[in-house]
Amino acid sequence: MSATEEVVACNGNTCRINGTGIQLYPVSPNDFGEGLPYAPVDWPNAGDKWGWRAGKRATSLGTFKDRYLYLPKSLQGQKDGKNNAFRSKVSVKQYLQSQYPSLDINQFFASFSWMIPSNESPSSKG
């Protein structure tokens, strides 16, 4: 397992990642929000909250296959293109490496959970 992979342990409706104490909660498809536990806070500036959104498809492990990360307001307009959303971890890494070359990428991803648990049972899907 690489340093950027998460270990999510769930017990009922409570999940934690990598022993960090970050408590996760299951969400519905297309749910969205800002900040922890599914997006960074106070990065790169104090008060910054990144946005997140769950996709529609869940894996057999009960986490969303698709998830989106949105830039905080302070960084919107700095990303090439019209959209301030990232559809993959790779696209987030590429953006961060281009804008913040000295950033510890592993530390950035360790500050929140990339994996979002689904509140829908994988077995209930048709």
Side-chain angles (χ1 to χ4, degrees):
M1 174 171 22
S2 77
T4 59
E5 288 184 73
E6 298 176 1
V7 175
V8 176
C10 297
N11 182 8
N13 287 335
T14 303
C15 301
R16 295 189 185 273
I17 57 168
N18 293 342
T20 63
I22 295 177
Q23 194 166 338
L24 309 180
Y25 54 90
V27 303
S28 298
N30 296 313
D31 269 358
F32 61 92
E34 283 187 325
L36 293 174
Y38 306 121
V41 293
D42 295 328
W43 196 93
N45 306 305
D48 280 350
K49 283 189 181 179
W50 291 58
W52 61 269
R53 183 171 66 87
K56 294 180 183 177
R57 303 180 299 165
T59 68
S60 61
L61 298 174
T63 58
F64 283 98
K65 190 174 222 173
D66 307 307
R67 67 98 77 214
Y68 306 88
L69 192 64
Y70 297 90
L71 288 171
K73 289 182 174 98
S74 70
L75 298 181
Q76 291 180 8
Q78 294 181 13
K79 183 175 179 260
D80 292 337
K82 303 172 199 154
N83 196 342
N84 291 305
F86 299 95
R87 297 181 69 184
S88 71
K89 206 171 197 178
V90 170
S91 64
V92 175
K93 286 180 185 180
Q94 290 171 341
Y95 168 77
L96 292 172
Q97 288 170 335
S98 72
Q99 298 297 311
Y100 304 94
S102 63
L103 173 69
D104 181 340
I105 297 290
N106 293 335
Q107 185 178 2
F108 175 83
F109 281 107
S111 72
F112 66 99
S113 175
W114 183 261
M115 296 193 315
I116 301 175
S118 172
N119 64 4
E120 294 185 2
S121 165
S123 61
S124 68
K125 304 262 182 210

